[in-house]
């Protein structure tokens, strides 16, 4: 990798720090000495992939193996993709900046179907053939994640797919690759044959798809003896499973900027629309003791201020409230907040709400999914409308003022009255909210249902785009309050998602054509282009209606039948029939229908269509458990399995009997003497591509890791009392950056510097710190001028006679009017009032100079950037600017400001070479 080219390129793209790879806790191993090299690719933007727990788990497991290197790559932004192609640079890993083609395995996380075109972009940018049949010596392309449960639409792009839990299967795959590297196996088919022997590994090229004359799938014919169906891999004991605690701490703010602790895997609520509820079976929980240890180690290692307890149904965790009580007892005084994902309506108790709001209170999300008793029974949701209203009362009585509700439209057996009921429930909910506070707001989100593989609704057709819009309108037009904000998921996105999730191997050609049309980041509304997809589908020889808008027969061979073979297809069909019974037994008001007669006259009406949670009730015979190794496990403590019985999801006394946790709680605070510190720091090297807010986030986490007694603001959203100086433009190097902190206890400046520098990433370093009093003017108000030094990155290139003439003309001019154009706005500046150039930069009679300095006046209403000055004075283009090195060399302050900073003026004597 040409690092000089790369650095020049980074000045031309958005959020360049996402391509740096220097995050805190990053693992860098000797690439050349590794026996097996794995590139973990998340085919989405960095801020999404950096939040993904699965990738973090694999990264930790692989790098713990002494002979393995695991590095990361994400789908580059559209601007970065264009620049890589322009500069003829391959896509690279973040840690070593090696081309992805240098790795043995490229492991792709497929968690959402609309990232498929991103996967092709990653492979193309890595100069790897997109089609599996065209590869010879390239890395093995192996996919994992929920989408592999129907890997058929991308099967022809993959060498292999890993089904199920990844913690154990990835180790087996790496061992197999190591073995055939030692044995010098070069034949790709032989490599895949070795991988096929690993439980949970699917090799698409060892199956041939045969079709009937009507286009339906006839059979998936295995081409390898004994290799007929693929089981998914199941991690049996969550306490024994590895889980990272030394998390990578992103510099770019991720979508979920927090520690995620998976407290439970799987959900047996059997909601018939939910694919994860079926493919992630059975339920396995981590013990509270293990969760507490993960939390303690993760907080110490990262400095993050929020943790989220992750699960498909977190409130079903056997002792969620006592666990949160204990976590808050340990960390609330440290301003660490605890959150849970969207909760079931009947699970939002006052006790749970009290624990969630302990430190920070954000909007509360509840997912009723459906709005009538009939539809809730159809989807096996099992909750009542009164549960929703009770949950709203609970949240707003505890001080919330924002509620988020989530529903679906287009569910099987749905009527217009069911859609109108969504609005009716929402209207009633906002009335409850407003009875507590007039500031109340309600965000109503709705998405269109996609019948997913391995669910009871996999035989159902999907709505058309037009019908989806009509049903959204039924909801929207029946909303009665301006305090309700309605947002619906893009119908066209659901349309394409349906094709990609329900398709067979013939859909690969459509994905390829869409990629050629320029489809990227289809999962983002601002990037999704239905027009490009339509252009691709017009060239495809398939019919999207065949995949989306027809009902499947019970005996039809489905493209995914040979995958996840533990799941009993007959069980899913029985669940589908139960949904039908529930739909026909009740009309939308909950009264008996005249068109249906119960087969069992003794069966109670409320039982029709309902399937109980098999982790607390009887087995539902889905086929996943073998009741030896694979079964529902609530806790495993040592050798003892603690299994929940029906109606008993309490704490089993674990908090009250172990006596192990109270010692870690913070003692009552002693009287403290607060102080205020001002620090000067360097921002050099790759850190100069870190944005201002990103840098502030890095400093905050360093303060937490260093255990500095930082002061917080008051209110529902306490924030650290950190006051940074003026933002430094991206790509500009500096040795004179500043930030102030307010501490609730006295810390000596030298101690602060030492502790902070041990926690800051490469490129950020505190060089000076001192105590200031509360009357010291702020960094913002006291700055008067900022000085910069500029030269070319290539030191052989100088500022010549033409540039000197322009600079001299500016110095001699009375006025210099320049207009800055930003998007749709134009602002006029007289640069003679804003910019000054040091006379010493122009010795008499010279024809070129190596560098020159200039100063920009600080304007609280918006100052010029150094790039603005170079554009205005020298007429440099964006391409030319990318070849210029800019350093911030001094901050001048008003004479009324803090006198100790005036001495920093002599930084202008520092040479560029020394700064670099």
């Amino acid at each position: 990798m040409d690092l000089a080219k790369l650095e020049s390129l980074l000045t031309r793209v958005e959020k360049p720090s996402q391509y740096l790879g220097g995050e805190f806790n990053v693992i860098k191993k000797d690439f050349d000495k590794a026996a097996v090299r794995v590139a973990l690719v998340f085919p989405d933007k960095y801020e999404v992939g950096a939040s993904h727990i699965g990738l973090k788990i694999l990264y930790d497991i692989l790098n713990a193996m002494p002979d393995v290197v695991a590095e990361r790559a994400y789908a580059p932004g559209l601007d970065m993709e264009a620049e890589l192609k322009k500069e003829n640079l391959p896509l690279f890993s973040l840690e070593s900046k090696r081309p992805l083609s240098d790795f043995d395995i490229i492991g792709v996380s497929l968690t959402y179907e609309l990232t498929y075109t991103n996967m092709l972009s990653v492979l193309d940018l890595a100069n790897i053939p997109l089609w599996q049949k065209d590869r010879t010596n390239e890395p093995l392309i192996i996919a994992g994640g929920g989408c592999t449960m129907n890997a058929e639409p991308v099967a022809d792009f993959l060498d292999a797919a890993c089904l199920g839990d990844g913690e154990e299967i990835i180790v087996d795959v790496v061992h197999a690759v190591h073995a055939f590297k030692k044995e010098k196996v070069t034949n790709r088919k032989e490599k895949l044959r070795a991988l096929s022997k690993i439980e949970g590994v699917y090799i698409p090229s060892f199956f041939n798809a045969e079709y009937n004359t009507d286009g339906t799938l006839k059979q998936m014919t295995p081409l390898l003896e004994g290799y007929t169906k693929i089981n998914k891999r199941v991690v049996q004991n969550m306490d024994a499973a590895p889980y990272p605690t030394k998390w990578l701490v992103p510099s770019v703010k991720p979508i979920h900027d927090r520690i995620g602790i998976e407290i439970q895997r799987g959900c047996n609520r059997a909601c018939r629309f939910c694919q994860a509820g079926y493919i992630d079976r059975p339920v396995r929980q981590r013990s509270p003791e293990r969760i507490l240890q993960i939390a303690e180690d993760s907080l110490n290692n990262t400095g993050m201020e929020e943790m989220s307890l992750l699960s498909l149904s977190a409130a079903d965790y056997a002792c969620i409230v006592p666990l949160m009580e204990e976590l808050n007892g340990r960390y609330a005084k440290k301003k660490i907040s605890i959150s849970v994902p969207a909760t079931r309506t009947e699970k939002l108790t006052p006790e749970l709400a009290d624990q969630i709001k302990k430190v920070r209170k954000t909007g509360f999300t509840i997912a009723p999914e459906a709005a009538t008793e009939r539809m809730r029974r159809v989807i096996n949701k099992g909750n009542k409308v009164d549960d929703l209203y009770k949950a709203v009362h609970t949240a707003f009585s505890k001080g919330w003022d924002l509620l988020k509700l989530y529903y679906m439209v287009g569910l099987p057996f749905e009527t217009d009255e069911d859609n109108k009921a969504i609005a009716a429930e929402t209207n009633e909910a906002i009335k409850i909210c407003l009875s507590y506070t007039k500031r109340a707001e309600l965000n109503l989100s709705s998405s269109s249902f996609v019948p997913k593989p391995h669910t009871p609704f996999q035989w159902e057709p999907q709505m058309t785009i037009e019908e989806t819009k009509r049903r959204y309108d039924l909801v929207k037009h029946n909303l009665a309050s301006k305090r309700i904000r309605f947002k619906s998921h893009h119908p066209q996105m659901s349309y394409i998602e349906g094709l990609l999730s329900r398709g067979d191997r013939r859909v690969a050609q459509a994905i390829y054509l869409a990629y050629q049309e320029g489809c990227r980041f289809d999962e983002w509304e601002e990037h999704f282009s239905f027009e490009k997809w339509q252009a691709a589908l017009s060239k495809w020889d398939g019919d999207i209606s065949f995949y989306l808008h027809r009902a499947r027969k019970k005996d039809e061979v489905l493209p995914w039948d040979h995958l996840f073979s533990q799941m009993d297809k007959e069980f899913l069909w029985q669940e589908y029939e139960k949904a039908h019974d529930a739909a026909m037994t009740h009309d939308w008001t909950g009264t008996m229908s005249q068109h249906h007669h119960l087969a069992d006259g003794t069966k109670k009406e409320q039982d029709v269509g309902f399937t109980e949670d098999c982790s607390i009730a009887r087995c539902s015979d889905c086929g996943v458990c073998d009741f030896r190794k694979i079964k529902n496990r609530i806790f495993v403590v040592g050798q003892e399995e603690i299994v929940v019985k029906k109606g008993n999801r309490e704490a089993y006394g674990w908090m009250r009997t172990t006596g192990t946790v109270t010692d870690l709680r913070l003692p009552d605070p002693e009287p403290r003497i607060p102080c205020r510190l001002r620090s000067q720091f360097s921002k050099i090297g790759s850190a100069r591509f870190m944005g201002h807010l990103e840098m502030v986030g890095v400093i905050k986490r360093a303060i937490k890791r260093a255990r500095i007694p930082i002061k917080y603001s008051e209110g529902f959203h306490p924030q650290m009392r950190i006051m940074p100086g003026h933002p430094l433009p991206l790509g500009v190097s500096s040795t004179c950056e500043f930030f102030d902190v307010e501490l609730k206890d006295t810390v000596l400046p030298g101690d602060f510097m030492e502790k902070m520098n041990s926690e800051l990433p490469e490129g950020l370093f505190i060089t000076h710190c001192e105590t200031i009093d509360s009357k010291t003017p702020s960094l913002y108000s006291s700055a008067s001028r900022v000085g910069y030094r500029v030269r070319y990155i290539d030191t052989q290139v100088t500022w010549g006679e033409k540039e000197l003439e322009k600079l001299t003309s500016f110095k001699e001019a009375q006025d210099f009017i320049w207009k800055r154009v930003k998007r749709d706005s134009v602002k006029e500046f007289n640069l003679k009032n804003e910019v000054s150039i040091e006379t010493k930069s122009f010795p008499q009679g010279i024809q070129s100079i190596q560098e020159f300095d200039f100063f920009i006046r600080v304007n609280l209403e918006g100052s010029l950037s150094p790039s603005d000055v170079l554009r205005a004075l020298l007429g440099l283009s964006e391409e030319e600017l990318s070849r210029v090195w800019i350093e911030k060399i001094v901050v001048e302050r008003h004479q009324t400001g803090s006198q100790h900073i005036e001495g920093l003026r002599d930084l202008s004597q520092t040479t560029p070479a020394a700064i670099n």
Side-chain angles (χ1 to χ4, degrees), residues 496-510:
I496 299 301
E497 180 187 343
L499 172 66
L500 303 186
S501 63
R502 297 166 59 75
D504 52 35
R505 292 195 180 183
R506 294 170 292 191
V507 172
Q509 188 67 24

Side-chain angles (χ1 to χ4, degrees), residues 747-781:
V747 175
L748 295 176
D751 291 343
F752 181 83
M753 283 178 58
E754 182 179 355
K755 289 179 179 180
M756 287 293 291
N757 282 334
S758 68
E759 300 295 339
L760 288 171
E762 184 179 350
L764 297 180
F765 191 82
I766 297 176
T767 56
H768 181 76
C769 180
E770 63 188 60
T771 304
I772 58 176
D773 62 45
S774 59
K775 295 181 181 180
T776 302
S778 71
L779 292 166
Y780 261 80
S781 64

Side-chain angles (χ1 to χ4, degrees), residues 600-875:
D600 182 357
T602 63
K603 199 170 188 179
K604 294 180 180 179
E605 177 188 335
Q606 58 264 34
D607 290 336
V608 174
F610 183 61
T611 299
E612 292 185 291
D613 180 348
C614 67
S615 67
I616 59 175
R618 65 181 180 84
C619 174
S620 54
D621 295 322
C622 70
V624 174
C625 294
D626 61 12
F627 304 104
R628 297 184 301 276
K629 292 182 178 180
I630 303 174
K631 57 183 176 179
N632 292 317
R633 284 180 168 89
I634 302 306
F635 300 153
V636 179
V637 180
Q639 299 299 312
E640 180 186 5
E641 288 187 7
I642 303 174
V643 181
V644 171
K645 302 300 182 184
K646 186 174 182 179
N648 177 26
R649 282 188 178 272
E650 276 69 49
Y652 314 107
W654 70 272
M655 294 284 185
R656 301 171 182 84
T657 59
T658 60
T660 59
V661 294
T662 53
D663 293 340
L664 290 175
R665 292 181 176 175
L666 289 175
D668 291 333
E670 299 177 356
R672 295 174 172 178
I673 303 174
C675 74
R676 185 176 172 187
L677 299 178
R678 176 163 292 178
S679 298
Q680 177 185 356
F681 67 98
S682 298
K683 186 182 178 188
I684 59 177
S686 60
R688 73 187 191 277
F689 294 109
M690 194 182 295
H692 181 69
L693 294 178
E694 296 164 1
M695 181 204 67
V696 172
V698 167
I699 292 173
K700 285 181 177 180
R701 295 183 184 115
I703 286 172
K704 294 293 286 189
R705 291 192 298 270
R707 302 188 180 185
I708 304 293
I710 189 74
K711 190 175 181 180
Y712 281 81
S713 62
E714 302 296 329
F716 288 140
H717 303 281
Q719 299 293 325
M720 286 186 184
R721 297 289 295 162
I722 299 177
M723 289 69 70
H726 289 266
L728 183 70
L730 275 176
V732 174
S733 183
S734 175
T735 56
C736 51
E737 296 304 289
F738 297 89
F739 68 90
D740 294 349
V741 292
E742 290 184 16
L743 307 181
K744 56 187 178 183
D745 202 359
T746 299
V747 175
L748 295 176
D751 291 343
F752 181 83
M753 283 178 58
E754 182 179 355
K755 289 179 179 180
M756 287 293 291
N757 282 334
S758 68
E759 300 295 339
L760 288 171
E762 184 179 350
L764 297 180
F765 191 82
I766 297 176
T767 56
H768 181 76
C769 180
E770 63 188 60
T771 304
I772 58 176
D773 62 45
S774 59
K775 295 181 181 180
T776 302
S778 71
L779 292 166
Y780 261 80
S781 64
S782 62
S784 60
R785 293 200 310 168
V786 178
Y788 296 93
R789 176 169 295 149
V790 294
R791 62 174 171 83
Y792 278 101
I793 294 173
D794 183 350
T795 55
Q796 302 302 311
V797 181
T798 60
W799 304 104
E801 188 174 347
K802 183 175 68 173
E803 288 84 9
L804 288 175
E805 286 179 2
K806 290 181 178 181
L807 294 174
T808 302
S809 296
F810 171 74
K811 286 178 64 63
E812 295 174 351
Q814 293 295 315
D815 296 292
F816 193 100
I817 306 301
W818 180 71
K819 293 181 180 180
R820 181 173 65 189
V821 180
K822 281 191 174 181
R823 296 180 182 174
D824 297 330
S825 66
V826 179
K827 187 171 182 178
E828 188 173 276
F829 294 88
N830 184 348
L831 265 66
K832 293 297 291 186
N833 298 331
E834 307 290 332
V835 178
S836 60
I837 299 177
E838 291 287 90
T839 304
K840 68 180 182 112
S841 296
F842 305 100
Q844 201 71 23
I846 65 167
Q847 294 184 340
S848 68
I849 55 174
Q850 193 78 30
E851 60 194 34
F852 65 92
D853 300 345
F854 59 84
F855 288 80
I856 301 176
R857 183 172 70 90
V858 174
N859 187 338
L860 296 181
E861 296 177 356
S863 302
L864 290 163
S865 72
S867 295
D868 286 336
V869 173
L870 295 176
R871 289 187 193 96
L873 300 188
L874 301 179

Side-chain angles (χ1 to χ4, degrees), residues 450-490:
V450 176
K452 293 281 186 166
H454 305 294
T455 70
F457 292 153
Q458 64 183 357
W459 289 274
E460 275 287 302
Q462 184 173 327
M463 283 191 307
T464 64
I465 293 173
E466 293 73 21
E467 179 62 15
T468 301
K469 291 177 179 178
R470 189 187 72 83
R471 296 197 193 189
Y472 282 153
D473 285 343
L474 278 175
V475 177
K476 182 178 180 180
H477 295 326
N478 283 280
L479 295 173
S481 172
K482 292 182 179 179
R483 309 296 292 183
I484 300 172
R485 289 194 294 267
F486 177 64
K487 182 178 181 182
S488 56
H489 187 63
H490 205 308

